[in-house]
Structure formats: structure tokens, C-alpha cells
Amino acid sequence: MVAAIELYLDVDTTRRVRNLWRALDAEGIPSLGSLHQKHRPHISLAAAHRIDPHAVAEALSGFEVARPLPLSIDFVGQFVGRVLWLGVTMTEDLLSHHRAVHDRLSSAGVEIWDHYRPGRWVPHCTISLRVPNPVMAPAVRRCLEYLPLQATITGAAVADHANDISHPL
């Protein structure tokens, strides 16, 4: 199980990512969109096996988690395990926002995975969790057809889809 603090994208970017998910699914490449129909295109600020949404809401009280940050999504990447994603270009504003969220979570004792901590985080929009190796190259090519994307953050939530949790922040 995975829980995350997700930043949601503007309507146009969300539509374009969903179209990419559908294009991959139509080619037999499993996307996040077909996993269980609960995912929204997003950038995860933090993740762990479990995250208490009420503890997060309290830790971030008075802080604008979903402030309208502009994002450039310019490249495609892959994590070990055949995870395919669209990469968000780092900016000082994005990094400082991420650090501020983590400082508040840390002060409140909210535990998250190390690879989401400041200095290790790779901002990305997940496209697929398990691309079969023989179709990775076509999947990457398809993703490149949808880039670049100029996005804006429009919302945030603690999401744990396995437990049907979507707690807006």
C-alpha cells in the first residue's frame, strides 16, 4: 500500500495526461489511469506506506499546500521496477515549497519515505507503474509526443487509494 500527499494539476494538463494514459492503454501498455480508476494526474510531495491525513492536515494548517505553482513538465524518466513518469523541471520556487511542506511534516512527526525528502526528491507525474520491458521504448516515444506541458497546481490531498482515502488539503 502507498499513501501520498498529491498536488493536482490544472484542467488542461489533467486532460492531456489522461489522454496519454488512454493512448498507452489502447496500445496494451498499462497506465496509471487503468490501474483502478481512482488516480488523478498528480505530483507527489511525499509518500509512505501509511500517512494519517488528519496529522498531515494539522501539520500543514495555515500553509497553502496547493498554491498555484507553475510547473514545466519537459522530459520522460524511468524508475527501477519499470515505473514510467513525466519529469517536472526543478525551480527554486518548487524546491522551497517542497522543503516547507517537509519541514512542517517533520516537526509534526509525520514519517515519509527517504526518497521523497528534500535533496532526494524527483518531482514527477507517474504514467505507469509496470511497463513491460519489451514495450518500454514505444511507451517513452508515446510520452514524448505529449511534451512539453506547462502546468499549474490547483489542488492537493492526502490520497491512499487502496483504503479509499482522499483527504483534501
Side-chain angles (χ1 to χ4, degrees), residues 14 17 27 30 32 41 43 45 53 56-57 70-71 83 87 99 113 115-116 123 125-126 130 144 154:
T14 295
V17 171
E27 295 172 23
L32 201 60
I43 311 299
L45 282 179
V56 170
L71 303 174
V83 176
R99 182 170 298 284
W113 287 331
H115 56 276
Y116 278 90
C125 177
T126 301
R130 296 250 189 268
L144 290 170
T154 60

Side-chain angles (χ1 to χ4, degrees), residues 7-10 43 65-71 94 151-156:
L7 295 177
Y8 298 121
L9 308 170
D10 61 88
I43 311 299
V65 180
R67 72 177 232 241
L69 284 169
L71 303 174
L94 178 60
T152 303
I153 300 303
T154 60

Side-chain angles (χ1 to χ4, degrees), residues 6 29 34 40 76 79 85-86 109 114 130 135 147 165:
E6 298 178 344
I29 301 167
S34 62
R40 291 173 61 178
V76 178
F79 292 130
W85 44 270
L86 302 179
D114 283 341
R130 296 250 189 268
V135 294
L147 298 180
I165 294 171

Side-chain angles (χ1 to χ4, degrees), residues 17-154:
V17 171
R18 286 187 189 278
N19 286 342
L20 172 56
W21 286 349
R22 282 191 285 279
L24 290 170
D25 289 331
E27 295 172 23
I29 301 167
S31 79
L32 201 60
S34 62
L35 184 61
H36 48 57
Q37 307 295 315
K38 295 178 185 179
H39 284 285
R40 291 173 61 178
H42 67 275
I43 311 299
S44 294
L45 282 179
H49 288 293
R50 292 191 67 118
I51 298 176
D52 179 350
H54 302 290
V56 170
E58 187 175 317
L60 298 174
S61 178
F63 181 78
E64 190 178 11
V65 180
R67 72 177 232 241
L69 284 169
L71 303 174
S72 293
I73 302 173
D74 302 301
F75 57 99
V76 178
Q78 178 186 359
F79 292 130
V80 172
R82 303 185 324 265
V83 176
L84 182 65
W85 44 270
L86 302 179
V88 179
T89 300
M90 293 282 203
T91 64
E92 189 58 43
D93 202 20
L94 178 60
L95 288 174
S96 65
H97 185 70
H98 179 255
R99 182 170 298 284
V101 167
H102 279 269
D103 288 349
R104 289 170 178 265
L105 295 176
S106 180
S107 293
V110 176
E111 293 293 322
I112 57 103
W113 287 331
D114 283 341
H115 56 276
Y116 278 90
R117 294 191 186 284
R120 299 202 56 205
W121 177 58
V122 177
H124 65 280
C125 177
T126 301
I127 298 302
S128 177
L129 294 175
R130 296 250 189 268
V131 177
N133 286 329
V135 294
M136 183 59 79
V140 168
R141 281 193 297 274
R142 177 67 67 211
C143 288
L144 290 170
E145 293 172 1
Y146 284 77
L147 298 180
L149 297 171
Q150 297 304 311
T152 303
I153 300 303
T154 60

